[in-house]
Amino acid sequence: MGLPALEFSDCYLDSPQFRERLKSHELELDKTNKFIKELIKDGKALVQSLNNMSSAKRKFAESLNEFKFQCIGDAETDDEICIARSLQEFAGVLKNLEDERTRMIENASDVLITPLERFRKEQIGAAKEARKKYDKETEKYCSVLEKHLNLSSKKKESHLLEADTQVDHVRQHFYEVSLEYVFKVQEVQERKMFEFVEPLLAFLQGLFTFYHHGYELAKDFSHFKTELTISIQNTRNRFEGTRSEVECLMKKMKENPDEHKTISPHTMQGYLFVQEKRSFVSTWVKHYCTYQREPKRVTIVLFDQKSGGKVGEEETFILKSCTRRKSDSIEKRFCFDVEAVDRPGVITMQALSEEDRRLWMEAMDGREPVYNLNRDNQSEGTAQLDSIGFNIIKKFIHAVETRGINEQGLYRIAGVSSRVQKLLGLLMDSKTSPEVDVDSAAEWEIKTVTSALKHYLRMLPGPLMTYQFQRSFIKAAKLDNQEARISEIHSIIHRLPEKNRQMLDLLMKHLANVANNHQENLMTVANLGVVFGPTLLRPQEETVAAIMDIKFQNIVVEILIENHEKIFNSVPESAAVQPNLQLNSRRRSAECKPPSCSERPLTLFHTTPTIDKPEKRNRVLNSSAESILTNISVNSISTPQPNLNSLICSDSDLETVVAKQSRPNSLILWSNYATLSAAFLKRLNPKSRSSIPTSPVSLSPTSPRSPSWPMFSAPSSPVPASSTSSDSSPVSPTLRKARALYACKAEHGSELSFIAGTIFDNVHPSREPGWLEGMLEGKTGLIPENYVEFL
């Protein structure tokens, strides 16, 4: 397991767990610093002593072989694995040369000793200085805070306000120093991947020049040397992109930390001073406290940052009540009393500020917590995957492939922002779009066109490869076997929405053409992955861990470019279905695969548009019937269906079908199918109307919706309740009770955790496919549809 990512949001919490993670990074830096010193010492001995060359090389090789890289994150890319393996490869080369005598290595100092010394002094030395500053500011902040909290509430208001201002200033400075220190630590950890290995590679290259007897060995090493050079370059490129992203996130945290707090499983957490009463005296002891609303569980841990981060024993109790402490009843400020169910007496706690006390009070009073759901910071504009969007992208691609396919730095060199915005504005306006000639080299530079293409993809409401499957793609890229990666990504691609897949197919074919001309444009598959990975697979929540996964986003794009013919033009093996597959097998396959945790939605939606006008209502009926009949004709295995225009069902038939769309489970799906099938056949054979059953097929309501059948339930679509209802009345989904068939643990604040047998109230469809929305113990959240049955 690699080093854990250090989140900037944790700098504000300054929790014991954050200090432990920070300490692991510090130990790794100390270990690296010590190793570099040893390596430099061994290198100098190698240069200065020809007589001891063999023993010096053996020691040097042993040092390399013993060191293991620790990467940030839970998985490594192929490039990182290659770099980590490089030290062992170097050691093997040196061991094979231990009996060889050679001439003095004249340039070893320039290519090996100096870069390592520079890295150790400039990078690791800077990290040590930042550490000293951080420890000093921690000591200062904690001292000022304790002094501030010990102020009597009977002091003058002006004195208290001045003290509050001073504490705020010291706290803000401490947070800034903490953020800068975390940024520097992670920067050095990333830099060592290439600045540490690259001098070693240069040193070995010099050795091959001077060794005549090592010629054959150098030939054998050349393949790995090429692979390592590419890996280092790829890692450097990824580092440059990652560093800018992390720096940008740090600046956002400095400007407005409240908008970028991570979503925590705890309702409230932070430091509190707990009053401990002893004979004739009471003391206030600093604890790190967490509170979870559902079980009303409070956990307190004795912890003081100044004492070297020593953690005390954890205490847990169930909250009974929480009462604000009046200022005239106690000399301390910001106090409140807590009563526990499972322990006697009252516990008096002191918050860090009035605002902090208000947040604790709100959380413990049972009010709804404020979850800081991440919002996509990309401009959403009016970009959509409609005919206009496809036409715009096709124009861009045609312009690039006809007049700029060989231009160096294609897609990497950015165009002028004003020109890019102007081009997009003209193309997205239906009035000016026909007049725009993207193929005109005199008017539109290729870098303007390529930047406009990338910017249009970023303007979409969500990434082209969707937030829903983002984690699935990342997990696929982390698989060890290349074939397994391709197979899993192939499968996920065919689960994307149709428009997204079509656009992705169009784009990947184009990027493959670009990569085929890399000898001229210098844009290899790896370079294109670096450019398009963050655009096509951007995460919904912006964290350091997500930024560290950018390298795996790039790998996904590389696989799509290299295997686009197979992925987009063939059905994945796991999704192949025989034409005569029976309904029961469909249900079994769907029931055996509950929604993936990584594909769970991150938000709750509560929008139910209404239909105000008869013409809108008729449009809904017509579009609903047309989409349903289209799905029937697609899924049918029999002879081709007659033209849709000749199958004009009566209004009552269609309204019956469309009205059933508000019913939430798969039983209603089949009811829709059967009812519309009857209406469909009535138009084909009016005489046989009485013989066609219109009742829904009997099917278990727990059956999950299968992607191969039409999805009729769409809570966000305006739907009339019935043919007799008022046109202006809004439609609300039927609220029902449901029972859990299996246990489920929530992976997000918008979901519900429950055990088998739990009863939910007010269950109705959600806008998220495969999910329902219901209420449990007063809390509304998402429930996997195939985990429950309706009562």
Side-chain angles (χ1 to χ4, degrees):
M1 191 66 180
L3 292 172
L6 298 175
E7 297 294 348
F8 288 127
S9 58
D10 288 341
C11 294
Y12 290 86
L13 291 175
D14 199 16
S15 66
Q17 294 79 12
F18 167 71
R19 289 282 180 156
E20 286 296 322
R21 291 194 292 270
L22 186 59
K23 185 178 291 184
S24 67
H25 280 263
E26 292 171 348
L27 291 175
E28 177 61 21
L29 283 180
D30 291 338
K31 178 182 174 183
T32 303
N33 185 44
K34 182 179 178 182
F35 175 74
I36 291 178
K37 286 183 178 179
E38 191 70 21
L39 195 61
I40 292 172
K41 178 182 176 182
D42 295 340
K44 289 180 178 178
L46 183 63
V47 172
Q48 295 171 359
S49 183
L50 287 174
N51 294 327
N52 297 322
M53 183 64 72
S54 179
S55 59
K57 285 193 294 184
R58 187 179 294 108
K59 177 66 173 64
F60 191 68
E62 289 174 359
S63 298
L64 292 177
N65 195 47
E66 289 172 1
F67 185 76
K68 306 294 182 184
F69 277 112
Q70 292 292 332
C71 299
I72 297 177
D74 57 356
E76 297 177 342
T77 64
D78 291 340
D79 292 326
E80 290 171 338
I81 293 172
C82 178
I83 291 175
R85 186 165 55 93
S86 63
L87 299 184
Q88 284 70 41
E89 292 290 333
F90 298 155
V93 171
L94 292 175
K95 287 177 181 178
N96 287 329
L97 293 173
E98 64 183 0
D99 295 328
E100 295 291 331
R101 292 279 187 166
T102 64
R103 298 170 299 181
M104 180 70 72
I105 305 174
E106 298 176 349
N107 62 340
S109 179
D110 295 333
V111 300
L112 178 65
I113 307 300
T114 303
L116 291 179
E117 284 279 11
R118 185 169 57 249
F119 174 77
R120 189 178 69 84
K121 291 179 181 178
E122 296 179 1
Q123 299 300 325
I124 298 180
K128 286 185 175 181
E129 290 297 321
R131 179 180 177 180
K132 291 179 182 177
K133 185 178 180 182
Y134 177 68
D135 291 339
K136 182 179 178 181
E137 288 300 321
T138 299
E139 182 78 21
K140 179 181 177 182
Y141 169 64
C142 292
S143 299
V144 171
L145 182 62
E146 288 183 4
K147 181 179 178 182
H148 175 67
L149 294 176
N150 286 324
L151 284 177
S152 173
S153 59
K154 297 179 181 179
K155 294 281 186 180
K156 291 183 179 180
E157 184 66 24
S158 59
H159 183 73
L160 294 177
L161 290 175
E162 181 181 354
D164 289 346
T165 303
Q166 180 185 0
V167 169
D168 289 341
H169 177 74
V170 173
R171 182 188 293 114
Q172 182 62 32
H173 186 62
F174 168 70
Y175 287 160
E176 291 178 1
V177 170
S178 178
L179 288 169
E180 291 170 358
Y181 177 50
V182 168
F183 173 73
K184 187 62 182 177
V185 167
Q186 296 196 116
E187 179 186 11
V188 174
Q189 294 285 19
E190 287 291 291
R191 276 184 178 276
K192 72 178 183 182
M193 294 296 291
F194 53 88
E195 289 195 5
F196 184 26
V197 177
E198 207 165 25
L200 297 172
L201 181 62
F203 171 71
L204 284 180
Q205 184 61 41
L207 285 179
F208 292 141
T209 305
F210 293 100
Y211 282 102
H212 174 73
H213 294 289
Y215 174 72
E216 291 298 328
L217 183 60
K219 284 177 58 178
D220 296 337
F221 186 80
S222 61
H223 175 72
F224 179 77
K225 183 189 71 175
T226 303
E227 183 182 355
L228 181 58
T229 304
I230 295 172
S231 296
I232 290 174
Q233 185 59 44
N234 290 341
T235 304
R236 183 191 295 275
N237 293 340
R238 289 167 184 158
F239 164 77
E240 291 171 355
T242 301
R243 184 184 184 280
S244 61
E245 292 283 343
V246 175
E247 187 175 16
C248 180
L249 180 58
M250 183 189 71
K251 291 178 180 177
K252 290 179 183 177
M253 291 294 299
K254 283 184 177 181
E255 293 170 0
N256 200 341
D258 291 334
E259 288 190 2
H260 293 84
K261 290 181 180 176
T262 55
I263 298 172
S264 170
H266 304 294
T267 306
M268 187 66 186
Q269 59 183 329
Y271 284 100
L272 293 172
F273 283 79
V274 180
Q275 185 183 36
E276 295 185 357
K277 296 180 181 178
R278 296 168 187 168
S279 19
F280 305 109
V281 69
S282 64
T283 59
W284 295 84
V285 183
K286 195 174 187 179
H287 289 73
Y288 190 81
C289 306
T290 62
Y291 173 69
Q292 289 179 292
R293 173 173 286 109
E294 283 193 15
K296 289 192 173 183
R297 183 168 61 246
V298 179
T299 303
I300 61 175
V301 180
L302 178 65
F303 185 79
D304 191 349
Q305 301 103 311
K306 294 189 301 180
S307 60
K310 184 177 180 181
V311 183
E313 293 184 1
E314 182 179 288
E315 297 181 49
T316 302
F317 59 87
I318 303 300
L319 178 70
K320 180 180 179 181
S321 65
C322 176
T323 309
R324 183 186 301 273
R325 189 70 178 261
K326 293 183 179 179
S327 58
D328 57 359
S329 65
I330 191 170
E331 289 190 358
K332 297 282 187 179
R333 306 170 67 199
F334 320 134
C335 294
F336 58 95
D337 291 336
V338 170
E339 290 186 90
V341 174
D342 46 357
R343 59 189 289 181
V346 175
I347 305 170
T348 302
M349 297 181 171
Q350 182 185 27
L352 304 184
S353 65
E354 185 63 42
E355 175 66 14
D356 192 36
R357 178 171 68 170
R358 183 185 67 79
L359 293 175
W360 279 102
M361 294 292 297
E362 285 185 0
M364 291 184 172
D365 281 344
R367 302 177 196 171
E368 286 293 327
V370 181
Y371 291 107
N372 184 22
L373 296 177
N374 182 60
R375 294 173 177 84
D376 185 11
N377 58 5
Q378 301 291 342
S379 58
E380 294 183 358
T382 57
Q384 298 292 338
L385 292 179
D386 52 11
S387 58
I388 296 176
F390 274 87
N391 288 336
I392 290 174
I393 296 299
K394 287 177 181 177
K395 286 182 178 180
F396 290 156
I397 291 175
H398 182 267
V400 172
E401 294 191 347
T402 53
R403 63 185 179 88
I405 195 73
N406 293 326
E407 188 162 321
Q408 289 189 1
L410 193 65
Y411 286 109
R412 196 153 201 169
I413 299 176
V416 179
S417 179
S418 59
R419 296 288 295 165
V420 172
Q421 295 291 344
K422 180 180 179 181
L423 176 58
L424 284 173
L426 292 173
L427 287 174
M428 294 171 68
D429 189 341
S430 57
K431 296 179 181 179
T432 58
S433 177
E435 302 172 3
V436 180
D437 184 12
V438 184
D439 294 327
S440 174
E443 189 174 0
W444 305 108
E445 294 180 286
I446 282 297
K447 64 181 182 181
T448 302
V449 176
T450 55
S451 296
L453 185 148
K454 291 186 294 181
H455 190 66
Y456 188 87
L457 295 176
R458 288 193 289 267
M459 287 170 61
L460 294 171
L464 191 58
M465 297 171 76
T466 72
Y467 293 129
Q468 181 183 4
F469 294 106
Q470 197 263 352
R471 291 304 308 164
S472 299
F473 280 114
I474 296 298
K475 288 180 180 178
K478 292 181 178 179
L479 295 176
D480 295 334
N481 183 273
Q482 180 71 3
E483 290 300 321
R485 295 178 195 168
I486 297 173
S487 177
E488 183 63 19
I489 291 174
H490 189 184
S491 175
I492 300 171
I493 286 294
H494 284 263
R495 290 154 59 192
L496 289 174
E498 183 64 26
K499 293 291 185 182
N500 296 61
R501 188 168 67 251
Q502 290 176 0
M503 179 64 80
L504 198 59
D505 183 16
L506 182 67
L507 183 62
M508 289 304 121
K509 286 180 181 177
H510 167 60
L511 295 183
N513 290 337
V514 173
N516 289 337
N517 293 271
H518 69 273
Q519 297 289 353
E520 291 78 20
N521 58 38
L522 305 182
M523 292 303 291
T524 61
V525 172
N527 290 339
L528 291 171
V530 171
V531 173
F532 280 91
T535 297
L536 301 179
L537 264 176
R538 69 179 184 269
Q540 190 166 8
E541 189 176 3
E542 190 175 11
T543 63
V544 173
I547 294 173
M548 293 303 171
D549 278 339
I550 288 177
K551 54 196 174 187
F552 296 104
Q553 298 172 8
N554 303 345
I555 291 174
V556 173
V557 175
E558 291 173 23
I559 290 175
L560 290 178
I561 295 174
E562 292 174 338
N563 303 273
H564 72 281
E565 290 290 343
K566 173 185 175 181
I567 290 176
F568 291 99
N569 296 334
S570 65
V571 178
E573 295 179 4
S574 59
V577 181
Q578 296 296 329
N580 59 352
L581 192 63
Q582 297 299 320
L583 171 62
N584 289 338
S585 63
R586 285 180 188 268
R587 291 179 53 206
R588 281 197 301 272
S589 63
E591 288 172 356
C592 292
K593 188 176 182 182
S596 168
C597 294
S598 63
E599 297 164 10
R600 297 185 173 188
L602 294 181
T603 54
L604 283 171
F605 299 92
H606 302 281
T607 56
T608 310
T610 59
I611 302 172
D612 298 327
K613 297 182 180 180
E615 53 268 25
K616 288 186 179 180
R617 173 173 167 271
N618 294 333
R619 268 202 307 274
V620 171
L621 291 175
N622 294 335
S623 62
S624 301
E626 188 172 334
S627 63
I628 296 168
L629 287 174
T630 303
N631 278 307
I632 293 174
S633 63
V634 168
N635 288 294
S636 176
I637 309 171
S638 58
T639 57
Q641 304 295 329
N643 192 310
L644 180 64
N645 295 330
S646 65
L647 304 175
I648 306 173
C649 302
S650 66
D651 288 344
S652 61
D653 290 333
L654 289 179
E655 291 188 42
T656 301
V657 173
V658 178
K660 290 180 181 179
Q661 295 185 41
S662 61
R663 296 163 65 182
N665 55 37
S666 54
L667 177 61
I668 307 308
L669 182 66
W670 277 96
S671 173
N672 295 343
Y673 185 88
T675 305
L676 190 63
S677 297
F680 177 84
L681 294 174
K682 284 180 186 179
R683 295 302 177 187
L684 291 179
N685 189 3
K687 296 180 180 180
S688 60
R689 291 180 185 177
S690 60
S691 62
I692 298 174
T694 59
S695 61
V697 179
S698 177
L699 191 64
S700 169
T702 62
S703 301
R705 283 180 275 191
S706 172
S708 59
W709 292 97
M711 295 287 287
F712 295 151
S713 180
S716 62
S717 303
V719 181
S722 68
S723 59
T724 60
S725 64
S726 173
D727 292 341
S728 61
S729 61
V731 180
S732 61
T734 305
L735 302 179
R736 304 175 59 184
K737 289 192 174 185
R739 178 190 294 111
L741 297 175
Y742 317 102
C744 179
K745 182 178 180 181
E747 296 187 0
H748 192 270
S750 62
E751 302 171 16
L752 295 177
S753 294
F754 51 86
I755 61 174
T758 302
I759 304 298
F760 304 96
D761 297 319
N762 300 338
V763 181
H764 56 277
S766 164
R767 280 185 61 181
E768 298 294 339
W771 293 80
L772 299 173
E773 198 173 317
M775 181 179 293
L776 175 61
E777 297 179 356
K779 179 180 179 182
T780 300
L782 294 176
I783 311 164
E785 185 178 26
N786 54 350
Y787 275 53
V788 301
E789 63 177 356
F790 283 95
L791 301 178

